[in-house]
Amino acid sequence: MSRRPLAVSIVCALGALAALITAVLFAVDSLWLVPPTAGQRALAFAALAATVCGLAGMWHMRRWGVLVIASLFAARVAYGLLGYAPWNLPALAGPTAILLVGLAYLKRMS
C-alpha cells in the first residue's frame, strides 16, 4: 500500500472531528431548543456511522471508502431535490471537499 497523501489525511481528520461534534450535538438534549425526536436521532446516528465507515475506508486508502462517501452525498442531494430538506450550500462544502479529494486519489487506492 502506498503512503497516504496529505490531502486525504486532512479531509479524514477534519471529517472525524466533524463526526465527533455531530455525535455530541445529537447526544445532548440541552443543546437544542426543540430536541430531535427518537427517529431523527436514529437517522442522524445511522448516517454518522456510515460516514465514519467511509472516512475510515479513505484513511486506509480503500476505494470502497470513496464509494460510501459518494453514496451518502448522492442520497443527501436526492433528499434535497425531493424537497425534504432545505438547500444549505455551506453545509455541502465539507462533503463535497471530502468526495473531491477521494476522487482525486481514487486510482492510488486499492
Side-chain angles (χ1 to χ4, degrees):
M1 177 170 48
S2 64
R3 205 169 134 246
R4 181 177 35 260
L6 180 62
V8 172
S9 296
I10 290 171
V11 297
C12 288
L14 291 176
L17 180 62
L20 179 63
I21 292 168
T22 303
V24 170
L25 181 65
F26 276 95
V28 180
D29 280 343
S30 64
L31 298 175
W32 298 86
L33 290 175
V34 178
T37 65
Q40 290 169 329
R41 188 169 282 147
L43 181 61
F45 281 122
L48 186 60
T51 301
V52 170
C53 286
L55 289 170
M58 281 183 60
W59 180 263
H60 291 288
M61 296 297 288
R62 301 290 189 243
R63 287 187 183 117
W64 62 261
V66 179
L67 295 176
V68 169
I69 296 295
S71 298
L72 291 168
F73 186 78
R76 171 57 180 97
V77 169
Y79 194 71
L81 288 173
L82 291 173
Y84 296 121
W87 284 102
N88 183 350
L89 293 181
L92 290 174
T96 302
I98 292 170
L99 183 57
L100 290 176
V101 168
L103 291 173
Y105 292 99
L106 193 62
K107 288 186 179 183
R108 290 180 55 184
M109 296 181 182
S110 57

